Structures are given as structure tokens and as C-alpha cells.
Amino acid sequence: MLSFLYTGLMNAPRTARERARAELTKEILTSARRQLGDVGAPGLSLRSVARDLGMASSAVYRYFASRDELLTALLVESYGEIGDAAIAGDLPDAAPEERWLSVWRAVRAWCLANRHEYALLFGTPVPGYAAPHLTTEIAARMPLTLARIVADAKRSVGLRPYTGPVCDPAAIEPAMLDLLADGDFTVEETARLILAWNRLVAVIGYELHGHLKNVTADDALFFEYTARAEGANLGLAFD
Amino acid sequence: MLSFLYTGLMNAPRTARERARAELTKEILTSARRQLGDVGAPGLSLRSVARDLGMASSAVYRYFASRDELLTALLVESYGEIGDAAIAGDLPDAAPEERWLSVWRAVRAWCLANRHEYALLFGTPVPGYAAPHLTTEIAARMPLTLARIVADAKRSVGLRPYTGPVCDPAAIEPAMLDLLADGDFTVEETARLILAWNRLVAVIGYELHGHLKNVTADDALFFEYTARAEGANLGLAFD
DNA sequence: ACAGAAACGAGAGCACTGCTCTTGCGTTGC
DNA sequence: GCAACGCAAGAGCAGTGCTCTCGTTTCTGT
């Protein structure tokens, strides 16, 4: 499972064969990625990838054991990209509120430009599921970018006091608190961070899947409101 | 498109042939629904439905023009069910807060028991999209149940004043305000209703798709917190 | 340097899919 | 009664994921 990451991509190729293998692996991924963007995950066909590269369909199985494994590779790649987009959207020297909005916008922009990749990441899981241990680290980069901003805000200007119901500590996984340990978050802050990350993904999903048709008139404007509301909910200084 | 709704199901069958047609249509739907629950939408095969009913695969096309149309029928059916579940979960005589929690729990219970149907409703849209005009009315029943509770609370005990950023009226579709007209909602209330409905669906989706693995320790408890927090955000009296 | 081992690409083939077209039977309505 | 229509079945097309075999190429250990 996921052997391609180790054999072809991560280790530096030494022999000519390994070199060719790494290159072809990359070409397969590139072609698959392009097809994913065109027809989406359900329409992605291993045979058409093979045709695109001028090789026999059976030869592709030397590089990816199944269609699901190929999709998983695209999933990992996409997780990396959305994490990159989030990090690139951050403005480390700006005020927390500006950083927050900028990251939200960056993530939305990536999702709108890569709707099939969004579906792969957050839509209905098509394959038998990706390897959790490998992907969670990459998948965490986007939400951690949000957490970092809140942590910085807490350290510098502080967070506004919370109102409303509080979260039962038993609801949160202790490992999650450890993951955010450097932010020194309370249970309540952690819960609200989870909800903010959930909201970011969800409101984009609604926009992408057409659930906001006849509901919102200006999706960008509504997204802006959502970002502010969710930031304020975490104690950022949005009015 | 969607002709099955008119030919087979809604009009009372008069001749024996129409009677048989209506019955077979229902049997196809039942078998398809069972298969949907087993293997999910991507695995649902028209041929296996035909095998299940002991008929030729080509005969099914007399009743549903395509696999997508069959899926659309299941989509409509599921929208109806989740709406029913929401309405059945409401407690018209209870306090708004109790009603709110009860509906949230009822919707979650339905989704957990019908995860493939959830995927069909809120996951990645597989087919070429359902007919909007027919489905929106059915699809609105669940969110309207939430809206009704808030409207009743506003009329009786009133909603708590809002804090935080406000929503630009230009973001909301005027038709949406009309749809909620009997609730006499402001733009801000409407926006928060949309977000609450979005949250309900989204947090269940996270739970179903495994995104809360290693994040929450007790999904039911976290859901309870989410329901309260989202209700409080709308001005319901959760502490 | 050479032989054995491992990796590789191509092709055929299996079981399956959605969907179409034709054929013939049965029912319906004039 | 008969023409017209509804219907089920079968064959067939193009496509899919995946497996197996069969030569060929490349690498590696002696």
C-alpha cells in the first residue's frame, strides 16, 4: 500500500531503471491529475491514462497496484496542495484578522480552481480509504495554519472572552490537544477551532455542490461573512 | 426527465398494465434502495437490480431512462425521508431549545443509519444533477424545520441579541428571504440560519467520512456541543 | 564478464458495466 | 377484430478494472 511513495518518489534514483521508473510514475500522476481535473474522480480511467501515455493498460499496474491507489496518490498530492495554498495565503506579519481572512480566501480560491480535487478530499470517499497515518500529517497542514493564527493572536493581543455553551472535555480527543499543544489551547478553543475548520470546508462545499443556489446571491460575499463570523467566534477581533 | 414521478407513482393506476407498471417501478426502487444501502451509489448497478428482480437489464430502461435517473429517484426519496425525520424529531409543544436539539439529533440519527443516502444528498454529486425545481421543495423541508423553531422562539420568548460581524444583505438571495417570510427574519437571522443548516449537515459529514478520527473522542458529545453552540449563535437560550 | 534474478511492457482475456437495437409477445383501445 | 402500443428478452457495442502469461531488458552477485 502506497509503495509508490517510497520506491519511486522519495528516494533519489540510482540506476537508470529507477530513474525511468520515477519519471514514468510522475508522468502517470500528471496525466491522472489532468484527467481528474477534466472528468472528476468517478470518470478517471486507468486505461485512458495508459492511452494518454501510449502504453498498455496492464503496464500501469506496475506502478500503481489499483485505480484506488492511484486515486490515493492524487489525494495525498491534493492534501499537500491545499496545505500549501493555506500556508501561502498566510501573512505572518499582518494582524491576526487579516491573516485569518487571507487564509480563508486562499483555501476557497484553491477549491474553486480544483473542484474535483476538493471532492476527492472532502467529498464522499470513493476508495477503501487512504492510509490514515501517512495522510493525517499532510491533511493537518491546512487546519494547523488556522490554528497557528489563533495561537499567535492569543499570545499577542489575546482572544475575546467566549459566550454561549461550553464543550465537554470528554468530547475532544486528547491527541488533538497534544497536536495543538504549542498553541496552548483550552478545550473550548480547540472545539471552536475544529468547528472553524469544518466550516471553512463545508461552506465551500455548499458553494461547489450548488446547495447555495437560490440561497445566497453573492457567494464571495457570503463566504466573507462566514469567515468573519467564524473568526469572531474564536475570539478574533471582527466586529 | 423524472417522468417516473408522474407516470407511475403519483397518478392512481387505472388499467392492469398501469397497475403492474406502478408496482414494478416501486419494486425497482426498493431493490435499488437496498443496494444503495449495501454498496453505495458508485456500486449501484442497474444490471444487478434487474437480476435481483429476475428481469432483463434492458427491461429496467422502460422504467428509468438511465442509471442517473434511478439515482435521482433515490435522491428525491432520501430528501423526503430526511425531511420526514426532521419533522418527526420536532416537538411542537416543547421549548425552542429542546426542539432544536431534538431535530438535530433526529437528523443525525437518520444520517448515521443511512450513510449512503447522506452521501447521495450532500456528498459529491455523481449524476448530471437532479432537476432543481422539483427537488428544491423537498430538499427545503429539513432546513425549514429548523427555521420554524427559530421563528417560533422569536415570536414567543424572543432571540438574544447578536454580537460579532453582520452579514451584507447583498449576500443573501431575496427569494430566500421570501421563502422564510412567515418567520419574519432579518437578513442576519437568515444568514445564521443558513450557517446552522450548513453546520448540521457538515458536522455529520465529518463524522461519517472519518474526518473526526483522532480529532474528537466522543462524536455524539461533540455533536451535542455543536448543536448547542449553533443554536446559541442564532439567539436560542443555550448557556 | 557472465549467469541468474528481478523488473518490465505488451497482449490476450475475464467478468463486469451502461446503454441501444431488434424481435416477438401480450394488452389496450378504437 | 384489428391495428397500435407497451412490454420483456436477447444480442450486441464500447467501455471498465484487473490478471495472467510471455518475451525482453536491465540489474546484481559471483
Side-chain angles (χ1 to χ4, degrees), chain B residues 4 28-29 32 44 46 49 60 64-75:
Chain B
F4 55 89
I28 292 174
L29 273 177
L44 191 149
L46 220 143
V49 171
V60 182
F64 295 92
S66 68
R67 198 190 91 113
D68 280 0
E69 190 170 284
L70 179 56
L71 277 178
T72 303
L74 295 177
L75 184 91

mmCIF file of all heavy atoms in Angstrom, chain B residues 4 28-29 32 44 46 49 60 64-75:
data_model
loop_
_atom_site.group_PDB
_atom_site.id
_atom_site.type_symbol
_atom_site.label_atom_id
_atom_site.label_comp_id
_atom_site.label_asym_id
_atom_site.label_seq_id
_atom_site.Cartn_x
_atom_site.Cartn_y
_atom_site.Cartn_z
ATOM 1 N N PHE B 4 -40.880 9.337 -14.223
ATOM 2 C CA PHE B 4 -41.402 8.262 -13.384
ATOM 3 C C PHE B 4 -42.310 8.795 -12.295
ATOM 4 O O PHE B 4 -43.214 8.107 -11.841
ATOM 5 C CB PHE B 4 -40.228 7.502 -12.751
ATOM 6 C CG PHE B 4 -39.292 8.397 -11.999
ATOM 7 C CD1 PHE B 4 -39.514 8.665 -10.662
ATOM 8 C CD2 PHE B 4 -38.208 8.976 -12.641
ATOM 9 C CE1 PHE B 4 -38.650 9.476 -9.954
ATOM 10 C CE2 PHE B 4 -37.347 9.795 -11.938
ATOM 11 C CZ PHE B 4 -37.572 10.049 -10.595
ATOM 12 N N ILE B 28 -38.478 -1.844 -8.349
ATOM 13 C CA ILE B 28 -37.150 -1.429 -8.793
ATOM 14 C C ILE B 28 -36.547 -0.455 -7.787
ATOM 15 O O ILE B 28 -35.384 -0.568 -7.385
ATOM 16 C CB ILE B 28 -37.232 -0.782 -10.196
ATOM 17 C CG1 ILE B 28 -37.609 -1.831 -11.242
ATOM 18 C CG2 ILE B 28 -35.923 -0.120 -10.556
ATOM 19 C CD1 ILE B 28 -37.841 -1.259 -12.621
ATOM 20 N N LEU B 29 -37.351 0.496 -7.373
ATOM 21 C CA LEU B 29 -36.854 1.478 -6.411
ATOM 22 C C LEU B 29 -36.459 0.802 -5.102
ATOM 23 O O LEU B 29 -35.424 1.144 -4.508
ATOM 24 C CB LEU B 29 -37.926 2.547 -6.147
ATOM 25 C CG LEU B 29 -37.935 3.717 -7.105
ATOM 26 C CD1 LEU B 29 -39.091 4.660 -6.785
ATOM 27 C CD2 LEU B 29 -36.615 4.478 -7.019
ATOM 28 N N ALA B 32 -33.251 -1.072 -5.641
ATOM 29 C CA ALA B 32 -32.153 -0.121 -5.801
ATOM 30 C C ALA B 32 -31.801 0.516 -4.461
ATOM 31 O O ALA B 32 -30.624 0.725 -4.139
ATOM 32 C CB ALA B 32 -32.535 0.959 -6.815
ATOM 33 N N LEU B 44 -23.861 0.929 -7.111
ATOM 34 C CA LEU B 44 -25.207 0.542 -7.535
ATOM 35 C C LEU B 44 -25.227 0.284 -9.032
ATOM 36 O O LEU B 44 -24.904 1.161 -9.823
ATOM 37 C CB LEU B 44 -26.217 1.631 -7.175
ATOM 38 C CG LEU B 44 -27.686 1.241 -7.326
ATOM 39 C CD1 LEU B 44 -28.526 1.990 -6.309
ATOM 40 C CD2 LEU B 44 -28.200 1.530 -8.715
ATOM 41 N N LEU B 46 -27.380 -1.053 -12.357
ATOM 42 C CA LEU B 46 -28.707 -1.282 -12.906
ATOM 43 C C LEU B 46 -28.910 -2.748 -13.254
ATOM 44 O O LEU B 46 -29.998 -3.297 -13.123
ATOM 45 C CB LEU B 46 -28.870 -0.421 -14.155
ATOM 46 C CG LEU B 46 -30.210 0.255 -14.361
ATOM 47 C CD1 LEU B 46 -30.027 1.618 -14.956
ATOM 48 C CD2 LEU B 46 -31.058 -0.601 -15.260
ATOM 49 N N VAL B 49 -29.740 -4.736 -10.170
ATOM 50 C CA VAL B 49 -31.140 -4.509 -9.794
ATOM 51 C C VAL B 49 -32.034 -5.404 -10.642
ATOM 52 O O VAL B 49 -32.948 -6.064 -10.132
ATOM 53 C CB VAL B 49 -31.518 -3.030 -9.972
ATOM 54 C CG1 VAL B 49 -33.011 -2.842 -9.809
ATOM 55 C CG2 VAL B 49 -30.778 -2.159 -8.964
ATOM 56 N N VAL B 60 -35.365 -2.768 -17.498
ATOM 57 C CA VAL B 60 -35.379 -1.709 -16.481
ATOM 58 C C VAL B 60 -35.453 -0.340 -17.146
ATOM 59 O O VAL B 60 -36.028 0.595 -16.585
ATOM 60 C CB VAL B 60 -34.139 -1.825 -15.576
ATOM 61 C CG1 VAL B 60 -34.167 -0.774 -14.483
ATOM 62 C CG2 VAL B 60 -34.062 -3.219 -14.957
ATOM 63 N N PHE B 64 -36.774 3.427 -16.003
ATOM 64 C CA PHE B 64 -35.852 4.523 -15.721
ATOM 65 C C PHE B 64 -34.926 4.668 -16.911
ATOM 66 O O PHE B 64 -34.239 3.716 -17.279
ATOM 67 C CB PHE B 64 -35.057 4.253 -14.435
ATOM 68 C CG PHE B 64 -35.925 4.210 -13.207
ATOM 69 C CD1 PHE B 64 -36.452 3.015 -12.766
ATOM 70 C CD2 PHE B 64 -36.233 5.376 -12.516
ATOM 71 C CE1 PHE B 64 -37.270 2.975 -11.646
ATOM 72 C CE2 PHE B 64 -37.044 5.340 -11.402
ATOM 73 C CZ PHE B 64 -37.570 4.138 -10.960
ATOM 74 N N ALA B 65 -34.920 5.861 -17.463
ATOM 75 C CA ALA B 65 -34.217 6.065 -18.726
ATOM 76 C C ALA B 65 -32.719 5.863 -18.597
ATOM 77 O O ALA B 65 -32.038 5.614 -19.589
ATOM 78 C CB ALA B 65 -34.502 7.460 -19.265
ATOM 79 N N SER B 66 -32.193 5.994 -17.401
ATOM 80 C CA SER B 66 -30.757 5.836 -17.225
ATOM 81 C C SER B 66 -30.464 5.549 -15.757
ATOM 82 O O SER B 66 -31.333 5.687 -14.897
ATOM 83 C CB SER B 66 -29.999 7.094 -17.658
ATOM 84 O OG SER B 66 -30.281 8.148 -16.770
ATOM 85 N N ARG B 67 -29.269 5.163 -15.503
ATOM 86 C CA ARG B 67 -28.847 4.934 -14.127
ATOM 87 C C ARG B 67 -28.945 6.220 -13.324
ATOM 88 O O ARG B 67 -29.313 6.220 -12.153
ATOM 89 C CB ARG B 67 -27.408 4.403 -14.110
ATOM 90 C CG ARG B 67 -26.999 3.736 -12.815
ATOM 91 C CD ARG B 67 -25.508 3.471 -12.787
ATOM 92 N NE ARG B 67 -24.795 4.576 -12.199
ATOM 93 C CZ ARG B 67 -24.151 4.510 -11.034
ATOM 94 N NH1 ARG B 67 -24.116 3.374 -10.377
ATOM 95 N NH2 ARG B 67 -23.533 5.556 -10.543
ATOM 96 N N ASP B 68 -28.604 7.332 -13.966
ATOM 97 C CA ASP B 68 -28.682 8.614 -13.280
ATOM 98 C C ASP B 68 -30.107 8.933 -12.846
ATOM 99 O O ASP B 68 -30.339 9.475 -11.770
ATOM 100 C CB ASP B 68 -28.149 9.727 -14.188
ATOM 101 C CG ASP B 68 -26.633 9.762 -14.178
ATOM 102 O OD1 ASP B 68 -26.039 8.923 -13.475
ATOM 103 O OD2 ASP B 68 -26.061 10.606 -14.868
ATOM 104 N N GLU B 69 -31.065 8.590 -13.706
ATOM 105 C CA GLU B 69 -32.445 8.886 -13.354
ATOM 106 C C GLU B 69 -32.898 8.031 -12.170
ATOM 107 O O GLU B 69 -33.644 8.492 -11.303
ATOM 108 C CB GLU B 69 -33.361 8.642 -14.557
ATOM 109 C CG GLU B 69 -34.768 9.153 -14.328
ATOM 110 C CD GLU B 69 -35.600 9.143 -15.602
ATOM 111 O OE1 GLU B 69 -35.393 10.029 -16.458
ATOM 112 O OE2 GLU B 69 -36.452 8.262 -15.731
ATOM 113 N N LEU B 70 -32.418 6.805 -12.141
ATOM 114 C CA LEU B 70 -32.718 5.948 -10.995
ATOM 115 C C LEU B 70 -32.111 6.536 -9.722
ATOM 116 O O LEU B 70 -32.765 6.598 -8.666
ATOM 117 C CB LEU B 70 -32.176 4.536 -11.249
ATOM 118 C CG LEU B 70 -32.380 3.510 -10.144
ATOM 119 C CD1 LEU B 70 -33.856 3.377 -9.780
ATOM 120 C CD2 LEU B 70 -31.817 2.152 -10.551
ATOM 121 N N LEU B 71 -30.878 7.004 -9.833
ATOM 122 C CA LEU B 71 -30.241 7.626 -8.672
ATOM 123 C C LEU B 71 -30.987 8.885 -8.255
ATOM 124 O O LEU B 71 -31.128 9.169 -7.060
ATOM 125 C CB LEU B 71 -28.777 7.961 -8.984
ATOM 126 C CG LEU B 71 -27.787 6.812 -8.809
ATOM 127 C CD1 LEU B 71 -26.382 7.234 -9.200
ATOM 128 C CD2 LEU B 71 -27.799 6.319 -7.369
ATOM 129 N N THR B 72 -31.447 9.633 -9.229
ATOM 130 C CA THR B 72 -32.201 10.841 -8.915
ATOM 131 C C THR B 72 -33.466 10.506 -8.151
ATOM 132 O O THR B 72 -33.857 11.216 -7.215
ATOM 133 C CB THR B 72 -32.534 11.613 -10.205
ATOM 134 O OG1 THR B 72 -31.319 11.915 -10.886
ATOM 135 C CG2 THR B 72 -33.276 12.901 -9.889
ATOM 136 N N ALA B 73 -34.113 9.406 -8.554
ATOM 137 C CA ALA B 73 -35.320 8.978 -7.834
ATOM 138 C C ALA B 73 -34.990 8.649 -6.387
ATOM 139 O O ALA B 73 -35.733 9.014 -5.462
ATOM 140 C CB ALA B 73 -35.934 7.770 -8.536
ATOM 141 N N LEU B 74 -33.863 7.980 -6.181
ATOM 142 C CA LEU B 74 -33.449 7.665 -4.814
ATOM 143 C C LEU B 74 -33.102 8.940 -4.050
ATOM 144 O O LEU B 74 -33.333 9.045 -2.844
ATOM 145 C CB LEU B 74 -32.244 6.722 -4.839
ATOM 146 C CG LEU B 74 -32.506 5.338 -5.427
ATOM 147 C CD1 LEU B 74 -31.227 4.516 -5.461
ATOM 148 C CD2 LEU B 74 -33.574 4.620 -4.626
ATOM 149 N N LEU B 75 -32.544 9.907 -4.792
ATOM 150 C CA LEU B 75 -32.223 11.193 -4.176
ATOM 151 C C LEU B 75 -33.475 11.886 -3.672
ATOM 152 O O LEU B 75 -33.525 12.374 -2.528
ATOM 153 C CB LEU B 75 -31.518 12.074 -5.216
ATOM 154 C CG LEU B 75 -30.998 13.434 -4.759
ATOM 155 C CD1 LEU B 75 -29.566 13.312 -4.283
ATOM 156 C CD2 LEU B 75 -31.078 14.442 -5.892
#
